[in-house]
Amino acid sequence: MKTVFSPLHSRRAVKTELDGGILIAPHEKPSRAETILARVKAQALGEVLEPEEFGLDPVKRVHSEDYVAFLESCWADWIAADKPGEAIPAVWCGRGMRARVPKDIDGRLGYYSFAAETSISDGTWEAARASANVALTAQKLVAGGERAAFALCRPPGHHAHADLFGGYCFFNNAAIVAQAFRDQGAEQVAILDVDFHHGNGTQAIFYDRSDVLTISLHGDPDLVFPHFLGFEDETGEGEGEGFNLNLVYPPGTPYAIWSQGLETACERIAGFRPDALVVALGVDTFEDDPISFFKLRSEDYLSLGRRLGALGLPTVFTMEGGYDVEAIGVNAVNVMQGFDAA
Ligand code: OKP
Ligand code: MG
Ligand code: ZN
């Protein structure tokens, strides 16, 4: 399997993540992508390509024009306002307040976000753009006939809504890929999110559509981020009714249980008969992940890959979460090797 990787990911190197009332060193850090890349090379998974430049049009098929403009100018606007630290949202439109776009940068940071752990600094825009280009390059490979491709995206994307950043995500790479398949003539596309967290952005983007099936397996949002979406009674709306599936699991869930949800998801995908599959791949389901509570082991990622490969669909993997950097390379590449072996 070919891997797409951009060294520009390293432009996203914020110093802060608001966690537990203090600013910690971010979990979503550059060494994550470098460790995965090193494992791709050590295992000779396949060729490693740099992304092509696709411009903003395919991004704006998923994200609003004003949100994209906000992200582009955010850091400059923050600096121009003489702020001493990194850009962190600290105010939101609460229930009963006015959902209008404020002029002030503090107001706009809140308007275009749903969480405060995702600081913005110099280079965030460039890295997020590169990450979308990585995803779109992988999509082009698969549209061109490759069985599968690994988009080694960083920053991740699955929490980003059409006009909201948060959960370390800015552009929803998986959604951009699915929309690109649709725009190139695919009738139906499925997105399977196996990251530990709910893919709230992906769900929201396609919630009223029947052409893109969205499925996510994740930790119970009653207990863990993103808290306000991802429950099992969210099944889609309007045309999209029946085309969103959430499979929720409690703390301590091992592969023996989690894989039952994977089986349910795979059977639903097979019945949907999509022209392409996008896998939002997080490996924060790992037993030693510092911010998650599932108990998958490294060898389980081979099984996961094999099950996905057995679907026999043209597949793009977009990299999402995974915060035990020591194991992230082995775990992510195990999925690809399992897939290739199926
Ligand atoms: C992004 B992805 C840590 C709280 C972390 C944000 C989690 C974002 C996960 N104390 N909250 O889905 O891996
Ligand atoms: Mg998930
Ligand atoms: Zn995650």
Side-chain angles (χ1 to χ4, degrees):
M1 188 184 314
K2 289 178 180 165
T3 297
V4 188
F5 172 86
S6 169
L8 285 175
H9 81 82
S10 62
R11 296 293 320 278
R12 172 129 181 96
V14 283
K15 296 182 182 67
T16 62
E17 171 179 340
L18 180 59
D19 182 37
I22 60 169
L23 296 174
I24 63 167
H27 291 288
E28 204 295 283
K29 55 191 171 194
S31 59
R32 297 179 57 252
E34 297 297 335
T35 303
I36 298 169
L37 179 66
R39 180 68 178 180
V40 163
K41 290 179 175 170
Q43 293 295 101
L45 180 68
E47 207 180 319
V48 178
L49 312 170
E50 284 213 26
E52 291 177 38
E53 172 60 61
F54 289 84
L56 289 171
D57 286 353
V59 171
K60 291 178 184 172
R61 292 287 294 143
V62 162
H63 294 283
S64 71
E65 182 94 36
D66 60 318
Y67 173 68
V68 174
F70 159 75
L71 285 180
E72 183 166 20
S73 71
C74 174
W75 180 244
D77 295 348
W78 184 257
I79 290 303
D82 274 327
K83 307 287 192 180
E86 297 186 321
I88 303 177
V91 61
W92 284 275
C93 172
R95 270 181 296 283
M97 298 173 84
R98 300 263 309 266
R100 61 182 290 288
V101 188
K103 273 200 193 69
D104 180 69
I105 185 61
D106 283 297
R108 279 186 295 130
L109 272 163
Y111 183 85
Y112 291 114
S113 68
F114 67 90
E117 81 291 286
T118 306
S119 304
I120 288 175
S121 75
D122 187 30
T124 290
W125 163 257
E126 289 78 7
R129 288 264 290 110
S131 193
N133 281 325
V134 164
L136 285 161
T137 302
Q139 189 276 336
K140 186 173 174 180
L141 287 171
V142 172
E146 296 277 340
R147 178 183 179 220
F150 178 25
L152 213 178
C153 296
R154 179 177 177 272
H158 73 148
H159 295 302
H161 290 231
D163 61 355
L164 296 171
F165 74 91
Y168 317 150
C169 300
F170 302 94
F171 291 140
N172 194 313
N173 302 309
I176 290 167
V177 166
Q179 187 62 45
F181 275 119
R182 285 285 292 118
D183 290 341
Q184 293 162 23
E187 295 287 332
Q188 306 203 117
V189 182
I191 305 177
L192 174 60
D193 188 319
V194 297
D195 184 279
F196 168 77
H197 301 93
H198 176 234
N200 56 290
T202 316
Q203 169 176 316
I205 287 163
F206 298 111
Y207 205 58
D208 62 355
R209 289 169 53 171
S210 58
D211 58 330
V212 180
L213 170 68
T214 50
I215 303 180
S216 178
L217 281 74
H218 48 267
D220 186 350
D222 223 5
L223 307 177
V224 75
F225 188 89
H227 296 296
F228 299 103
L229 209 63
F231 301 91
E232 290 190 339
D233 63 354
E234 298 159 13
T235 56
E237 71 184 11
E239 284 281 299
E241 181 61 57
F243 295 90
N244 184 75
L245 178 61
N246 286 328
L247 298 160
V248 169
Y249 292 95
T253 299
Y255 189 72
I257 304 294
W258 187 88
S259 59
Q260 295 172 13
L262 175 67
E263 192 53 37
T264 301
C266 287
E267 285 168 19
R268 177 76 184 91
I269 290 165
F272 182 64
R273 302 177 129 273
D275 301 298
L277 172 66
V278 184
V279 178
L281 175 65
V283 293
D284 40 6
T285 47
F286 185 55
E287 56 184 347
D288 294 332
D289 194 90
I291 67 169
S292 309
F293 59 53
F294 289 170
K295 292 285 168 255
L296 272 63
R297 296 160 307 150
S298 288
E299 59 266 32
D300 296 331
Y301 294 98
L302 284 165
S303 306
L304 165 58
R306 276 195 296 269
R307 183 62 188 94
L308 297 173
L311 285 167
L313 294 165
T315 301
V316 173
F317 291 91
T318 61
M319 195 66 215
E320 305 287 350
Y323 305 99
D324 181 5
V325 176
E326 221 179 292
I328 192 175
V330 170
N331 293 347
V333 175
N334 272 1
V335 177
M336 308 306 152
Q337 293 181 307
F339 184 99
D340 278 347

